[in-house]
Amino acid sequence: MPNIVVIGAGVSGLTSAYLLSKDQCNHVAVVAKHMPGDYDIEYASPWAGANFMPMSAAPGSRWERRTWPQLKRLATDVPEAGIHLQKCQLYRRHKDLERLQSDGTSLFKNVFAEHPWYRDLVDDYRDLQEDELPQGIASGCEFGSVCINPALYLSWLVGQCRANGVIFHRKSLTHISEVRSLEVLGFKPDVIVNATGLSAAKLGGVRDQTVYPIRGQTVVVRNVAPNMLFISGTDDGENDACYMMTRAAGGGTILGGTTQSGNWESQPDPNTASLIMKRAVSLAPELTGGKGFEHLDVIRHGVGLRPGREDGVRIEKEKVDGIWVVHNYGHAGWGYQGSYGCAEEVVALVNGIGIQAKL
Ligand code: FAD
């Protein structure tokens, strides 16, 4: 019976543990410094929107392609997962068109592509007609997507794992090999899954120095957005973004945001917050019934650090101090929308190690 310890209880670790625990032959434990219910700058998952709006280029799209049917199924058939179906509208501004084509580093570059690969994947994709576009907008599209309430969804994943017998243990590790001597688990791991997100930069045995934060500041409000709305740029700065989405089941509406690479600041900046709110209400005056941004009803200001990585996500196995480690970290701004695809790959790698060990 393979013993597997997953380090990390964000969406990457929990989805990996969930899929691994579906195989009754596996004995799975999750060890993490932060668990669902916590809000901390070292824990990206609770701060996410989170929706399905593919960010990969077509050749790298397999994680998101594999995840869409699962999220749609949960939104349709499993209300307790905290995901609902939502229309998503994207607007491309005239003034951003050139930058979108030339700037390969922008987080949202592929999202705003004129003919994105995901048009055949999501529901009812269509280009918006000219008379549907606000002033200053060159083109836009609309499609059926989902919006996840992270507080409910992460807890739901924990529940699914526990129902499958997964053990949860809270601990801050300094070295990946520490899990080998955790007596509280009642077993010694044969395989470790490393889903530590941005902290892969600090964890002993990994110390991946190519991992970096992409800071996202947000405002969560009680006001309801008409649809999920995203615009290709703002006049406030290159790292400022404008988007909104109303989460399922009372999770509030998240107004974003920023995409500040290399910025570790954990505290919300009041000026940035004010700009985020003004931009959102100017894009969707319905948010406050036309009364202006002062009428937004704020639940909280937030900052989350998306776990960026220079070469993109790391999903591979390596031996650390004589034990197999399967890595699953570095998902930047698409950790939810790629979560099932990535976790399936983790399961395949873990199974491959098991088969190798038996030979
Ligand atoms: P994390 O959630 O950071 O979890 C890491 C886990 O590892 C934690 O449990 C932590 O405690 C544990 N850990 C780390 N180090 C140690 C250690 N040494 N010892 C023990 N435990 C450790 N994605 C989408 O798909 N759609 C969206 O709409 C979206 N919107 C976003 C909006 C914002 C503002 C932000 C910030 C992110 C957004 N994302 C979105 C991205 C998404 O949130 C991340 O990609 C995802 O949460 C990463 O999850 P993770 O599990 O890899 O890492």
Side-chain angles (χ1 to χ4, degrees), residues 55-66:
M55 290 183 186
S56 55
S61 64
R62 64 184 162 137
W63 317 121
E64 292 170 326
R65 277 183 199 279
R66 297 285 304 172

Side-chain angles (χ1 to χ4, degrees), residues 7-14 31-35 42-53 55 171-174 195-200 203 214-218 230 243 245 254 258 303-307 328-338:
I7 307 177
V11 69
S12 310
L14 291 176
V31 175
K33 183 175 177 183
H34 305 96
M35 294 279 182
E42 291 180 348
Y43 189 28
S45 294
W47 303 108
N51 77 342
F52 185 88
M53 199 181 64
M55 290 183 186
K171 181 157 179 71
S172 178
L173 304 164
T174 52
T196 53
L198 198 53
S199 299
L203 181 65
I214 308 170
R215 182 176 180 275
Q217 182 167 332
T218 57
F230 286 72
Y243 62 86
M245 58 183 97
I254 186 157
T258 60
V303 175
L305 301 180
R306 303 173 182 91
N328 182 16
Y329 66 87
H331 305 80
W334 55 273
Y336 283 84
Q337 63 202 33

